[in-house]
Amino acid sequence: MSNKAIIVIIVFLVLASLLWFSFALYTWFSKTQTNYRISSTGKIELVATSTDGELVTEGLLKSDFFSQPISSSSTSVKIDQLTVKAQGLVGPKGVAVIPDGRLLIIEKRGVVKLVGLDDKVNDIFTLTDVDSVGEAGLLGIALDPDFVTNRKIYLFYTYHSQGGELFNKVVSYDLVSEIDRVASSSAATSTKLDKIFTPLVFVNDQIVIDRIPAGYTNNGGTIAFGPDNNLWVLVGDVGRAILAQDNQSLAGKILRVTNKGQVPADNPNKGSFIYASGLRQPTGITWTKTNQSVTGLVSEVGTNNNDEVNRLTPGSNYGWPVAGGCLSGDGRFSDPIICSGTKTWGPTGLGVISASSASSSLVMSMAAGRALIAFDLNRYLSATSSPVDFGTVLSGYGRWGGMLSLGDILYAWTNNRDGQNTFKTNDDQVIRIDLK
């Protein structure tokens, strides 16, 4: 190599080093944070966020740079409108929609917020005994199917017993307007419109199910009423994997309970809340009606990969921690209908939609995957070991903490303040997604 060529190479290396050093200085002085995201068009973007705003640069990076593939799918969910319903939240964990259109948002620290019809957000209730260290806290919310009549609302949260032990429990409350509360002890009356703009209060707390095992990781916490009008409670292995196979423990299980806290007569094991077992960290539950039958589906977070969607059947054992991988090959265990394999999704919520653009699609929110994705549900219900194929519904908001499906409307919330992602000053958010 000639001396001239060597000089050219040295100059190039010096200039490249100066360019890198200048960018590093700018990043430090402007408090710039860099991150990657998938845009709504499927492109991978490098995002630099600073006090001066946001700079987005599209990069020609391979899809396997991320933990999830960018994939095309036969399902095609189309978004009509996005509306931010609340922002600046602290660890949102769930949303419930009151029949009059107002929203309830729970935060992990034990706070319940109300989003009014005027889109104003106010704290309306705080749990005084919640323990929100690690992955513990206020983790689930559900409205009774007969809410219009009984005004019942249910919360799942972590607490310490009088003996100092850590447990989870489900508690019901009556959610009434302040006018209703006053009227119960006086002759006060009001119109329906008055009640909508009157503060809501939580009264008459009743324990539904108590002493559910708890830990500072893998608590589960999602609760939802199914088509059978029973309450379904998702409980993780609370960091003690062996409990998922212990039928004397409620950890690593899916529980089915009446709204009064009783065991349904048709549960798989008489006298037991346990409907299914062998789960590490179940996060989302939904149902779909096919051929006049109802099928339940549950999402589960794997260790570093092998995230799953399982078909919900009575008495199923999904194998954790005995069976690893997507296909156990063990007849004792139920294999998933969808599995991420070597990819990491980090599913946080699950819902079936009925929008005209994609009827009966299964939508999943992902933390590690940082997107809402959709699967052709009919394909996975009718086949086994089907190759994983999905479409991206929405991305570019960071980590998704969960979602709620109302058919052609989704409510999804971000979880960027969990210490695993960069965040903006308006994080975290609850976003309403109207589908076409």
Side-chain angles (χ1 to χ4, degrees):
M1 182 181 293
S2 67
N3 290 336
K4 184 176 180 179
I6 293 174
I7 292 173
V8 170
I9 292 174
I10 292 174
V11 170
F12 174 79
L13 291 175
V14 170
L15 289 175
S17 298
L18 287 173
L19 181 62
W20 178 88
F21 182 70
S22 298
F23 179 75
L25 282 177
Y26 170 76
T27 299
W28 186 79
F29 280 113
S30 64
K31 298 180 180 179
T32 301
Q33 294 177 313
T34 59
N35 192 18
Y36 294 91
R37 72 185 184 194
I38 305 177
S39 72
S40 58
T41 59
K43 295 181 179 179
I44 297 178
E45 301 174 335
L46 171 63
V47 183
T49 306
S50 71
T51 54
D52 299 326
E54 177 182 272
L55 174 66
V56 178
T57 303
E58 293 180 357
L60 300 177
L61 302 176
K62 295 182 179 180
S63 63
D64 59 3
F65 178 88
F66 281 95
S67 57
Q68 84 283 355
I70 298 176
S71 176
S72 62
S73 173
S74 55
T75 184
S76 178
V77 180
K78 297 180 181 179
I79 296 175
D80 183 41
Q81 184 176 346
L82 296 176
T83 308
V84 176
K85 301 299 295 183
Q87 57 186 356
L89 302 171
V90 181
K93 283 293 181 179
V95 170
V97 182
I98 304 175
D100 61 32
R102 290 179 290 177
L103 303 185
L104 292 168
I105 301 171
I106 59 170
E107 293 180 325
K108 178 176 171 291
R109 57 180 175 161
V111 174
V112 182
K113 294 179 179 291
L114 176 71
V115 182
L117 298 181
D118 55 2
D119 286 337
K120 291 183 178 179
V121 183
N122 294 293
D123 295 357
I124 63 169
F125 182 63
T126 300
L127 290 165
T128 58
D129 60 338
V130 67
D131 185 330
S132 59
V133 175
E135 294 179 8
L138 174 54
L139 305 176
I141 183 172
L143 290 184
D144 193 285
D146 197 25
F147 176 81
V148 173
T149 301
N150 64 23
R151 307 297 295 183
K152 292 288 185 183
I153 188 168
Y154 302 78
L155 301 178
F156 177 112
Y157 69 94
T158 315
Y159 75 101
H160 278 96
S161 69
Q162 290 184 349
E165 296 177 279
L166 194 67
F167 290 108
N168 290 306
K169 64 180 174 181
V170 178
V171 181
S172 71
Y173 295 84
D174 293 342
L175 181 62
V176 300
S177 71
E178 182 64 20
I179 288 178
D180 287 333
R181 188 184 69 81
V182 172
S184 65
S185 59
S186 70
T189 59
S190 68
T191 66
K192 183 177 181 180
L193 187 61
D194 288 336
K195 293 180 181 180
I196 290 177
F197 291 97
T198 300
L200 292 171
V201 292
F202 284 65
V203 296
N204 191 28
D205 56 305
Q206 300 287 328
I207 292 176
V208 177
I209 180 170
D210 200 356
R211 302 182 71 84
I212 301 170
Y216 292 120
T217 186
N218 294 357
N219 284 287
T222 298
I223 57 176
F225 278 91
D228 58 358
N229 290 333
N230 286 309
L231 182 65
W232 296 74
V233 182
L234 275 55
V235 186
D237 68 7
V238 301
R240 290 175 283 171
I242 194 63
L243 295 181
Q245 293 296 326
D246 182 355
N247 287 331
Q248 300 304 310
S249 172
L250 299 183
K253 309 297 193 299
I254 297 171
L255 312 181
R256 182 172 177 253
V257 56
T258 71
N259 65 348
K260 301 294 185 182
Q262 300 170 338
V263 177
D266 57 346
N267 266 13
N269 298 308
K270 188 175 179 62
S272 173
F273 292 120
I274 298 174
Y275 190 87
S277 61
L279 295 129
R280 178 180 180 270
Q281 172 68 335
T283 55
I285 186 167
T286 190
W287 292 266
T288 182
K289 187 173 183 179
T290 56
N291 298 324
Q292 305 304 312
S293 64
V294 176
T295 300
L297 301 164
V298 176
S299 58
E300 180 184 10
V301 180
T303 47
N304 295 311
N305 44 46
N306 289 323
D307 299 317
E308 301 177 356
V309 175
N310 288 289
R311 190 192 303 260
L312 185 58
T313 55
S316 287
N317 187 327
Y318 300 109
W320 174 257
V322 179
C326 295
L327 300 176
S328 68
D330 190 324
R332 296 174 297 168
F333 306 128
S334 299
D335 289 333
I337 62 170
I338 300 174
C339 184
S340 69
T342 59
K343 307 299 181 181
T344 302
W345 293 341
T348 55
L350 204 62
V352 175
I353 64 171
S354 56
S356 58
S357 62
S359 181
S360 297
S361 287
L362 180 68
V363 177
M364 175 192 291
S365 58
M366 305 187 297
R370 304 182 185 187
L372 302 181
I373 60 175
F375 302 88
D376 179 355
L377 184 54
N378 291 330
R379 171 184 174 185
Y380 293 98
L381 289 176
S382 60
T384 57
S385 304
S386 180
V388 176
D389 184 36
F390 59 80
T392 299
V393 178
L394 183 64
S395 60
Y397 289 84
R399 295 167 65 86
W400 292 97
M403 58 162 286
L404 171 69
S405 174
L406 300 180
D408 58 354
I409 297 173
L410 302 177
Y411 286 92
W413 47 96
T414 61
N415 189 27
N416 291 321
R417 292 183 179 270
D418 63 353
Q420 301 184 56
N421 193 48
T422 58
F423 59 86
K424 302 177 185 178
T425 55
N426 62 346
D427 276 332
D428 278 308
Q429 304 179 3
V430 170
I431 301 172
R432 171 175 166 152
I433 306 165
D434 289 81
L435 305 173
K436 292 184 179 179

